[in-house]
Amino acid sequence: MLRVLLDDDTRADLGLDEIVREGARRMLAMALEAEVDSYLASFADERDDDGRRLVVRNGHAKARSVTTSAGAIEIEAPRVNDKGVDDTTGHRRRFKSSIIPPWCRKSPKVAEVLPLMYLHGMSSGDFAPALAEFFSSAAGLSASVITRLTRQWQDEQAAFATRRLDTVDYVYVFADGIHFNVRLEEARLCVLVIVGVRADGTKELVAIADGYRESTESWADVLRDLKRRGMRAPVLAVGDGALGMWAALREVFPATRAQRCWVHKVANVLNALPKSAQPAARKALAEIRDAEDKDHATRAIHAFSEAFAVKYPKVVARVVDDAEELLTFFDFPAEHWVHLKTTNPIESTFATVRLRTKVTKGPGSRAAGLAMAFKLIESAQTRWRAVNAPQLVALVRAGAKFEKGVMIEGSNPPDQEVAA
């Protein structure tokens, strides 16, 4: 474990922020040296015909400043002279630091802040003055740099939207529409987002596209494009009550089952009730959503209907009419229920942006807004955890049946291949 100790004289001369940056600088320098030492050790036995080592140190690179969440830190990355040949490519090997790549000027955490701030409505010219004092440097934050980054992000989003999906299997998908104001246009941007759960249980972004009010045709265009690029029909799709999504799903992937998002449903029901009735309704809805199994949930729906149907028949109909789609998750592994009840991967990622859309003007164009949303969710997915009991996802794809959350013995077809 690396440890940095500052002497008494250094601590006395530095303020809190300077101590943090100095400690970070020293720790980073030590980590870079340790990384090079490890690389050299791995090739210590490789020597040329004269017995000289093929991999040796080669001084340090020119000092450069890297913007991190601790502020701007100056580094002098150690260099390596590697005369070895890569067995795969046949070309000369080159050492590349996994901590600080040669092109790196901002840490991933700082890069993640930029699209978030842009979606909040900050113009490219405001980044440097807003962040320079916090990061103790405006390097890499000028308007021209931000503008160049937005163009780069748009290119990355375009490449993402055309990749092939033949080799990926998404067993579950979450779908939602995210709305943003656009500074230079009257119409709001509706970003259609699909997040998938792969057969190994990990989550990742599947699609992000510019839609039109979550219409059937907009969703159908997204789903048709995914199918055209090789995507297999998912077993289950989780989404809100937007009719366009479900109509499009029936058209493009008719075999995929539907699960309504409970977060959206609860909010929809409570908004239609007077405040005096909301606490009791919230508790009744929670008893349905968190029931022990589908039978208990069905009885809880009946109890909800008896309690509220006389005064609020239309509100009760919102639950009763969608009962089948609200309880679909009970037909899957119990370990997955907590994941399948909501579109949380999408909702949590854009929650901070949703809170600000009413008071900001948003990105400057639809293309920029779509690119910013793409970068925001791309950064967020590195923190997404796999679903509980990930080994069961492949069994779901294989056709295994579950009763009360437990797999029915012998329900998994023996000749069905289970993807890892």
Side-chain angles (χ1 to χ4, degrees):
M1 179 178 177
L2 299 177
R3 179 177 298 174
V4 173
L5 298 176
L6 300 181
D7 55 62
D8 293 337
D9 291 338
T10 301
R11 284 195 296 268
D13 294 338
L14 300 178
L16 176 60
D17 291 335
E18 288 76 13
I19 291 175
V20 171
R21 278 194 289 273
E22 177 62 17
R25 186 192 66 77
R26 296 190 186 187
M27 181 71 78
L28 180 57
M30 293 170 64
L32 291 172
E33 294 291 343
E35 183 183 36
V36 167
D37 287 341
S38 177
Y39 185 82
L40 295 173
S42 65
F43 297 106
D45 295 334
E46 292 194 9
R47 298 180 181 272
D48 61 17
D49 295 338
D50 296 325
R52 291 188 290 266
R53 294 180 60 172
L54 294 179
V55 184
V56 296
R57 285 180 173 271
N58 189 27
H60 290 77
K62 183 179 179 181
R64 72 179 191 269
S65 179
V66 177
T67 303
T68 72
S69 55
I73 297 175
E74 188 171 272
I75 65 167
E76 293 183 0
R79 297 194 306 182
V80 173
N81 183 9
D82 189 344
K83 297 180 181 179
V85 176
D86 188 282
D87 294 334
T88 303
T89 64
H91 300 301
R92 182 172 170 177
R93 285 193 309 252
R94 292 187 61 186
F95 169 74
K96 291 184 180 180
S97 172
S98 61
I99 301 174
I100 303 289
W103 44 264
C104 181
R105 292 296 183 275
K106 291 180 288 293
S107 76
K109 287 295 182 184
V110 174
E112 188 176 324
V113 169
L114 304 183
L116 179 62
M117 295 180 70
Y118 198 98
L119 279 174
H120 279 332
M122 179 174 285
S123 65
S124 58
D126 293 334
F127 278 79
L131 297 177
E133 184 172 350
F134 179 76
F135 292 128
S136 72
S137 172
L141 297 173
S142 66
S144 61
V145 169
I146 301 302
T147 301
R148 187 168 62 251
L149 279 175
T150 59
R151 288 197 298 267
Q152 176 186 324
W153 292 334
Q154 289 177 41
D155 292 340
E156 291 177 7
Q157 186 274 323
F160 175 82
T162 57
R163 76 199 190 287
R164 294 297 304 175
L165 299 171
D166 310 77
T167 60
V168 188
D169 184 16
Y170 299 109
V171 181
Y172 303 135
V173 295
F174 305 89
D176 201 359
I178 311 298
H179 298 263
F180 302 114
N181 293 323
V182 179
R183 190 183 310 130
L184 304 180
E185 301 180 28
E186 293 184 5
R188 300 186 78 200
L189 170 63
C190 177
V191 177
L192 306 182
V193 180
I194 297 179
V195 171
V197 176
R198 300 173 60 129
D200 63 359
T202 58
K203 302 181 191 127
E204 68 180 24
L205 177 64
V206 178
I208 183 166
D210 187 355
Y212 179 72
R213 298 181 181 177
E214 299 189 66
S215 67
T216 298
E217 191 56 33
S218 294
W219 275 114
D221 284 344
V222 173
L223 296 177
R224 288 192 205 105
D225 180 60
L226 294 175
K227 186 175 183 179
R228 186 165 49 248
R229 289 188 278 128
M231 177 173 163
R232 185 179 178 185
V235 176
L236 178 71
V238 184
D240 63 10
L243 298 179
M245 164 61 190
W246 302 117
L249 187 70
R250 288 192 295 271
E251 174 192 334
V252 183
F253 295 123
T256 300
R257 299 187 64 185
Q259 167 64 47
R260 293 291 178 88
C261 172
W262 269 97
V263 170
H264 287 87
K265 176 58 70 174
V266 170
N268 179 270
V269 170
L270 295 181
N271 287 339
L273 289 171
K275 289 187 176 180
S276 59
Q278 288 181 9
R282 187 188 301 275
K283 181 178 179 180
L285 291 171
E287 290 179 357
I288 302 171
R289 181 195 62 211
D290 302 329
E292 180 180 344
D293 53 44
K294 183 178 283 189
D295 292 338
H296 284 82
T298 301
R299 288 195 287 271
I301 288 178
H302 182 69
F304 174 79
S305 178
E306 286 189 335
F308 294 93
V310 174
K311 290 185 176 181
Y312 315 107
K314 292 183 179 179
V315 175
V316 170
R318 297 184 181 188
V319 176
V320 174
D321 292 349
D322 292 339
E324 182 178 351
E325 290 80 7
L326 285 169
L327 305 183
T328 304
F329 71 91
F330 282 114
D331 296 334
F332 293 85
E335 294 88 344
H336 297 171
W337 290 356
V338 66
H339 305 286
L340 302 181
K341 295 177 185 180
T342 74
T343 57
N344 187 60
I346 301 174
E347 287 294 318
S348 59
T349 299
F350 290 98
T352 56
V353 178
R354 282 183 183 277
L355 293 175
R356 295 289 303 278
T357 52
K358 293 183 179 180
V359 294
T360 64
K361 297 180 180 180
S365 69
R366 301 179 72 85
L370 183 61
M372 297 308 103
F374 166 70
K375 293 303 295 184
L376 182 60
I377 200 167
E378 184 185 54
S379 297
Q381 73 178 354
T382 62
R383 299 188 297 273
W384 292 341
R385 66 181 182 88
V387 298
N388 298 333
Q391 73 280 3
L392 296 178
V393 179
L395 294 176
V396 171
R397 168 58 81 189
K401 303 299 180 184
F402 295 81
E403 183 175 343
K404 296 185 177 181
V406 180
M407 188 172 73
I408 301 173
E409 194 69 29
S411 67
N412 185 29
D415 58 342
Q416 179 72 45
E417 181 180 355
V418 179

